[in-house]
Amino acid sequence: MTQADERAEGLTGLAETSLGVAFLRDLEHQRADRLFADPFARLFLDAAGDVGASWTNVPSGPSGPAGPGFIDLMADQVAVRTVALDTALVEAAAAGRTQVVLLACGMDARAYRLGWPAGTRVFQVDFAAVLDFRTRALRAAGASPRCEVVDVATDLREDWGAALRAAGFDPTARTVWLAEGLVYGLPSVAADGLLDAISALSAPGSTLALDHGEDGELLRAARTAVSPDFTDLWQGGPRTELDVWFRRGGWAPLMRDIGLVAVEYGRPTPKAFDPRRAGTGRGWLIQAMRQPLPAGDAPQGLAGASAP
């Protein structure tokens, strides 16, 4: 077993899929017309040894009768959501919300690659094995964060709020939350519980940035082609429409179709969420603000952003 494989030991299930996202971010990083820079994505893949290398063998083009491959379906979605959520987070922090929480952070390197304002504190929440892997990989590369970083090892199925508070999180301060690639991977009860917990910890004026998407036949077939273990990764999320959930829960949401956001960045509608294709679902990028809203303060971060 190599040192990389030892570091990756224990990265299974959902944690392994975060390496797939890192692979897609690395593909974007290598493009001449890239929407964002993420040199840490390749670092995580290399540190994961065989687990990381396995993503290079995932079908990127047509995968037979099932249609496009997973990478072909998801590359633009990950690129567009990454830059849009990057912008939403940094703008919210610049507006004074310097307490940031990255839920199920996986291989997210935003604390290391984004230009955070002075005083920003980023809480990275995930399983202990994931955080340990990340820390070792980043330290081995000599990487330094661009803000204060606090790792919170916990399970989002348990009382993760207590662990967050124990790590120094202040529920009375305006917070920026990120739930990227997370809500639709949860069954309705778990998704409702997660959003309820975020609400309970959010002071007025806090913001939550996330993506949401419906599953479709094309995407399900492509996931299964990668691994049968990935077939059921889409669980649907909240039992009600997200905009309805947010308004009932005291949030003011801004929901944008990911195809419209993609056009603003000069990219085509992501294939997995293109209504012109059979077997696809709808996809959104969302920014919500916890009410009551301060005068003149409204969600703006997902539109008209410039690439970092």
Side-chain angles (χ1 to χ4, degrees):
M1 181 180 289
T2 67
Q3 288 184 336
D5 291 329
E6 289 174 356
R7 287 196 296 272
E9 189 174 2
L11 290 181
T12 58
L14 288 174
E16 234 179 78
T17 67
S18 67
L19 288 169
V21 175
F23 177 70
L24 292 172
R25 286 179 172 163
D26 181 60
L27 288 181
E28 181 67 22
H29 176 75
Q30 295 179 46
R31 289 180 57 144
D33 62 344
R34 66 190 183 194
L35 297 179
F36 60 87
D38 188 355
F40 302 98
R42 173 51 56 179
L43 183 158
F44 291 135
L45 290 167
D46 291 344
D50 291 343
V51 178
S54 66
W55 281 98
T56 63
N57 299 319
V58 171
S60 58
S63 56
F70 181 78
I71 294 170
D72 191 31
L73 282 174
M74 295 300 293
D76 282 317
Q77 191 264 358
V78 168
V80 170
R81 85 175 186 191
T82 298
V83 66
L85 295 176
D86 283 354
T87 304
L89 294 175
V90 172
E91 288 186 351
R97 301 169 185 85
T98 53
Q99 179 171 257
V100 182
V101 181
L102 310 179
L103 294 170
C105 62
M107 302 304 128
D108 187 324
R110 287 182 169 93
Y112 291 77
R113 65 180 182 81
L114 296 183
W116 298 101
T120 301
R121 193 180 198 193
V122 173
F123 293 86
Q124 301 181 144
V125 181
D126 214 316
F127 294 112
V130 174
L131 295 174
D132 180 63
F133 168 81
R134 289 167 45 89
T135 298
R136 293 186 184 189
L138 290 164
R139 284 179 178 172
S144 299
R146 304 178 71 178
C147 58
E148 181 183 356
V149 175
V150 180
D151 284 347
V152 183
T154 188
D155 188 330
L156 291 178
R157 296 168 296 186
E158 299 174 356
D159 187 6
W160 57 270
L164 188 60
R165 290 191 298 270
F169 174 84
D170 180 5
T172 68
R174 294 192 302 168
T175 301
V176 187
W177 300 89
L178 177 67
E180 182 180 23
L182 178 58
V183 173
Y184 53 77
L186 299 173
S188 59
V189 173
D192 287 344
L194 176 72
L195 293 172
D196 286 341
I198 293 172
S199 294
L201 292 166
S202 296
S206 295
T207 62
L208 169 59
L210 69 156
D211 63 312
H212 190 47
E214 297 174 337
D215 203 2
E217 294 177 8
L218 280 180
L219 186 54
R220 190 179 304 110
R223 291 198 310 274
T224 302
V226 174
S227 169
D229 294 337
F230 293 166
T231 301
D232 296 327
L233 284 181
W234 251 256
Q235 293 291 316
R239 60 172 56 88
T240 59
E241 294 288 340
L242 263 184
D243 60 337
V244 175
W245 189 98
F246 278 120
R247 295 187 190 283
R248 287 177 179 172
W251 296 81
L254 172 64
M255 296 185 61
R256 301 206 63 208
D257 184 280
I258 192 167
L260 296 178
V261 179
V263 169
E264 293 176 2
Y265 286 109
R267 293 294 172 88
T269 299
K271 292 180 180 179
F273 305 104
D274 188 342
R276 296 167 296 183
R277 291 175 174 267
T280 63
R282 297 173 297 172
W284 302 272
L285 290 168
I286 305 154
Q287 190 176 353
M289 184 174 288
R290 186 68 163 150
Q291 297 178 308
L293 297 176
D297 207 354
Q300 300 178 18
L302 294 180
S306 58

